[in-house]
Amino acid sequence: MDSQPRTVAPPPPPHSTAIPMAFLSFFAITALVLVPSASPSSNTFSILHQVPEGHVGVYWRGGALLKTITEPGFHLKMPLITQYEPVQVTLQTDMVTDIPCGTKGGVMINFEKIEVVNRLRKEFVFETLLNYSVHYDKTWIYDKIHHEINQFCSSHSLQQVYIDVFDQIDEKMKEALQVDCTHYAPGIEIISVRVTKPTIPNSIRRNYEQMEEERTNVLIAIEKQRVAEKEAETKKKMAISEAEKNANVSKILMEQKLLEKDSARRQEEIENEMYLAREKSLADADFYRVIKEAEANRLKLTPEFLQLKFIEAIANNTKIFFGDKVPNMIFDQRLLGNLLHEVSRGTATKAKADM
């Protein structure tokens, strides 16, 4: 059987795979060096790096902290020689968890969470990191909170820690942290501290729950008593108000009656005065009439008038005397004049006496 010749392909030139590999290596190195790195853990080989907003960039060269502080944005550094770390200078909340402590009476309690709001001042970044590294908050917040909580619990009873002075723990922790930070690390500013209720043994917690329930019942009873007192006081005020209203009404009616009586009395006085004045006028008129009549009579008592009246009386007399001896006084004009004169004087004297 005849063998047929085989065709063998020529081998590729030795430089045909070296060019893509070199290109890929160059691209990888360029990307590693020039692409900005936002993660501090991968910034060793990077030239361009980014500092996020709210942070500043700090740098170490050969393990020594540099005084260079950069603002947020893109910056350049020497790869492999210079390392950088972004440090937050805005408000941040450090959460300290699981803090056991023993009270003055020996009861073990546990604070599950304490939040500390703090801020590192920008002008103190270099000094703070030089003394306490980038983990300054572990020294002055996490460890300090453990220390201060244990100090506080050891000087107070369970009743005080759990109930009586629990509302003061926040301020006490804030003051304690700020005092030491101001003295040793002035760049750290403590804004606030929030402490959660500690966890206590179940048996003690049940006792406190029963005490709270009893206290609640007492408060409810006190509140009911207060409401009843308020209702009684309200009724009393209403009764007093009603009595005052009735008294005022009675006073007004009495004053009205008094005014009516006073008006009637004044009216009667006026009528009496009018009657007295009228009677006095009538009396004065009678007196004046009598005086005038007396004066008129006195003026009339003249001898001639008396003689005239005498003659008229004789003329009107129906009795006629017959005989030889008629009384002389009828014809004695002198005696008759004297008699009339005496009568006239007596009438005038009587009139003057009446006056």
Side-chain angles (χ1 to χ4, degrees):
M1 186 161 140
D2 297 335
S3 60
Q4 294 182 356
R6 290 181 297 180
T7 303
V8 179
H15 63 275
S16 62
T17 59
I19 294 176
M21 291 298 294
F23 180 77
L24 290 176
S25 299
F26 176 77
F27 180 77
I29 293 173
T30 302
L32 184 63
V33 173
L34 295 181
V35 172
S37 175
S39 174
S41 61
S42 60
N43 65 5
T44 304
F45 301 98
S46 174
I47 294 178
L48 185 65
H49 62 282
Q50 179 184 4
V51 179
E53 188 64 44
H55 296 67
V56 294
V58 294
Y59 303 87
W60 287 264
R61 186 173 298 164
L65 179 64
L66 303 180
K67 292 185 178 181
T68 302
I69 305 294
T70 57
E71 298 292 333
F74 290 104
H75 301 279
L76 300 175
K77 70 176 183 61
M78 297 178 63
L80 299 178
I81 299 177
T82 304
Q83 293 82 32
Y84 99 101
E85 187 82 19
V87 177
Q88 186 174 355
V89 291
T90 56
L91 291 180
Q92 59 180 340
T93 301
D94 292 329
M95 187 179 299
V96 187
T97 59
D98 194 15
I99 308 171
C101 68
T103 63
K104 186 177 180 180
V107 180
M108 292 299 299
I109 62 176
N110 185 69
F111 288 87
E112 295 182 356
K113 180 178 65 175
I114 296 179
E115 297 177 351
V116 181
V117 182
N118 62 93
R119 177 175 59 189
L120 177 62
R121 297 179 183 176
K122 188 183 298 184
E123 59 271 19
F124 290 94
V125 170
F126 175 78
E127 180 182 351
T128 303
L129 267 62
L130 181 64
N131 294 326
Y132 309 106
S133 76
V134 292
H135 303 293
Y136 63 90
D137 52 354
K138 182 180 184 304
T139 302
W140 293 110
I141 294 178
Y142 289 91
D143 296 344
K144 187 68 175 173
I145 280 292
H146 278 267
H147 172 73
E148 293 297 334
I149 285 294
N150 278 273
Q151 288 285 88
F152 181 82
C153 291
S154 63
S155 61
H156 293 81
S157 64
L158 178 61
Q159 174 71 21
Q160 292 174 327
V161 175
Y162 194 69
I163 295 178
D164 295 343
V165 296
F166 176 75
D167 58 339
Q168 304 175 13
I169 299 180
D170 296 348
E171 289 299 322
K172 289 184 179 296
M173 293 298 105
K174 178 178 179 299
E175 292 175 2
L177 292 177
Q178 189 63 67
V179 167
D180 287 345
C181 288
T182 303
H183 184 70
Y184 297 103
I188 303 175
E189 181 181 3
I190 306 299
I191 307 301
S192 64
V193 177
R194 295 188 292 268
V195 181
T196 58
K197 201 78 171 177
T199 303
I200 62 176
N202 292 331
S203 58
I204 300 177
R205 182 174 53 82
R206 285 194 295 271
N207 292 335
Y208 276 109
E209 289 176 352
Q210 292 177 359
M211 290 173 56
E212 190 65 25
E213 184 178 356
E214 292 176 0
R215 184 181 294 108
T216 302
N217 294 332
V218 171
L219 292 176
I220 292 174
I222 293 175
E223 192 64 26
K224 288 182 178 179
Q225 182 180 358
R226 188 178 303 171
V227 171
E229 290 177 355
K230 288 291 184 181
E231 291 179 353
E233 185 177 356
T234 302
K235 292 181 180 179
K236 179 180 178 181
K237 289 182 178 179
M238 292 177 62
I240 293 174
S241 177
E242 186 70 21
E244 290 179 350
K245 183 181 71 175
N246 294 333
N248 291 331
V249 171
S250 300
K251 182 179 179 181
I252 293 173
L253 294 176
M254 182 63 67
E255 290 178 352
Q256 182 179 0
K257 291 181 179 179
L258 290 175
L259 290 175
E260 292 176 355
K261 293 291 184 180
D262 187 64
S263 299
R265 180 182 60 80
R266 291 181 180 179
Q267 184 177 1
E268 187 176 357
E269 289 179 355
I270 293 173
E271 292 178 353
N272 292 336
E273 291 176 356
M274 291 174 61
Y275 176 77
L276 181 62
R278 183 172 60 253
E279 293 295 326
K280 185 177 180 181
S281 298
L282 293 175
D284 291 340
D286 290 339
F287 176 75
Y288 183 76
R289 179 177 57 79
V290 170
I291 292 298
K292 290 300 181 181
E293 289 180 354
E295 291 180 353
N297 292 332
R298 184 171 54 84
L299 293 176
K300 290 180 180 179
L301 293 177
T302 59
E304 293 79 5
F305 181 75
L306 293 176
Q307 185 176 5
L308 175 61
K309 289 296 182 180
F310 179 77
I311 295 172
E312 290 178 353
I314 293 298
N316 292 328
N317 194 355
T318 56
K319 292 181 180 181
I320 300 173
F321 294 91
F322 297 96
D324 296 335
K325 293 184 180 180
V326 179
N328 293 330
M329 69 171 190
I330 299 176
F331 299 101
D332 191 353
Q333 299 297 323
R334 184 175 58 83
L335 295 175
L336 182 59
N338 292 335
L339 178 62
L340 293 176
H341 182 68
E342 290 296 332
V343 172
S344 177
R345 286 180 61 186
T347 303
T349 301
K350 184 178 179 181
K352 290 182 180 181
D354 293 336
M355 291 177 64

